[in-house]
Amino acid sequence: MSIWFRLGDFVSRVSSTAVTSLVESIRSIFATNPELRQRVAFSVAMIALSAKMAKADGVVTQREVAAFQEIFEIPDEEARNVSRLYNLAKQDIAGFDAYARQMAALCGSGKPNCALLEDILDGLFHIAKADGYIHERELTLLAEVASIFEIDGLHFERILARHTFGAESDPYRVLGVPSDMPFSEIRRAYRRIVAENHPDKLIGRGVPEEFVAIATTRLAAINAAFEMIERRQVHA
């Protein structure tokens, strides 16, 4: 069953006026199904934090809305419920940090560098770069979310490098390997990273199937970085 159908069912049963108060509702409504609870929580976190992310530079642009829709494959019949949550988050007086802390507690593993929370942060980067660059205020917000999520500096830099990757970028930062590492070891690290970020891995740790676009864009940057390193070290 689509996560959007379950999210719509959840929204219709909650009369809250603030997204920050939805957490306890998620806990109670889905108490008997931890896996579904995590998927609904992930979806709510992405919707709420995306809305806050889009407002970080002072205005929500059509490109940011389009980027939101690229990550969220929303069926027409569920668009109203998703829009309600998105607009509620934009209007809620609670800050992004309140959302981030509550969602970290609900979605996270309780350990640093939780992969599921990194997936959420990756989605937020996708929203942030929709205008063609990441605004300074957006980057500050993303860094603070990473801190709340207990994602360390190295992981944050790797995510940033993936989303700003280009011809002049440092491909070693994308893979998180030193530039003087032997190519054979870089290749092993690359294969491990690709395996860790396969869409099936994301789904296995609680990312709804509708969000696999996060894995697709991530793998594209990882592959491009490795190909650049390969050209430099093997075909130079």
Side-chain angles (χ1 to χ4, degrees):
M1 182 179 293
S2 169
I3 189 65
W4 296 122
F5 178 83
R6 299 312 304 263
L7 183 63
D9 178 59
F10 167 68
V11 171
S12 69
R13 295 163 64 184
V14 175
S15 59
S16 172
T17 57
V19 178
T20 46
S21 66
L22 296 184
V23 173
E24 288 308 315
S25 297
I26 293 173
R27 291 186 194 278
S28 59
I29 291 175
F30 301 104
T32 60
N33 192 332
E35 181 179 347
L36 180 58
R37 181 182 63 203
Q38 189 171 49
R39 292 180 186 276
V40 171
F42 181 96
S43 303
V44 171
M46 283 302 308
I47 293 168
L49 290 172
S50 291
K52 292 296 186 182
M53 179 76 259
K55 288 191 67 176
D57 57 0
V59 61
V60 180
T61 69
Q62 284 303 115
R63 287 183 178 179
E64 287 169 331
V65 173
F68 174 83
Q69 293 171 338
E70 287 174 10
I71 297 177
F72 305 92
E73 299 177 6
I74 307 167
D76 292 341
E77 63 271 20
E78 297 299 335
R80 183 177 180 181
N81 287 321
V82 175
S83 178
R84 176 175 178 265
L85 281 177
Y86 188 82
N87 290 328
L88 192 61
K90 284 195 301 182
Q91 299 164 11
D92 192 358
I93 60 173
F96 72 90
D97 54 331
Y99 293 96
R101 288 191 180 90
Q102 288 197 317
M103 291 310 169
L106 196 61
C107 300
S109 63
K111 299 178 182 179
N113 301 318
C114 169
L116 189 61
L117 296 179
E118 186 172 337
D119 292 334
I120 294 175
L121 187 62
D122 216 10
L124 296 179
F125 263 97
H126 186 78
I127 301 295
K129 70 178 183 182
D131 294 329
Y133 69 99
I134 299 177
H135 192 281
E136 183 179 349
R137 278 180 287 182
E138 291 173 325
L139 187 59
T140 298
L141 184 149
L142 288 164
E144 291 188 37
V145 170
S147 178
I148 292 170
F149 284 178
E150 294 189 78
I151 295 174
D152 65 31
L154 177 59
H155 282 71
F156 183 81
E157 286 299 317
R158 285 173 59 183
I159 299 173
L160 174 60
R162 286 200 301 264
H163 287 281
T164 57
F165 188 74
E168 304 301 319
S169 301
D170 181 357
Y172 299 95
R173 288 182 63 202
V174 175
L175 299 184
V177 298
S179 58
D180 59 353
M181 175 182 282
F183 181 73
S184 60
E185 294 183 24
I186 292 176
R187 182 165 50 211
R188 280 196 293 272
Y190 159 73
R191 290 173 176 169
R192 173 180 52 79
I193 294 169
V194 167
E196 289 172 352
N197 290 285
H198 189 278
D200 289 346
K201 287 285 189 179
L202 272 71
I203 293 171
R205 62 180 173 246
V207 176
E209 292 182 12
E210 292 85 351
F211 293 79
V212 294
I214 294 174
T216 303
T217 55
R218 181 186 298 173
L219 286 173
I222 291 169
N223 288 333
F226 178 73
E227 289 170 6
M228 182 181 289
I229 294 172
E230 188 175 37
R231 286 196 301 271
R232 291 180 181 179
Q233 294 201 17
V234 178
H235 304 299

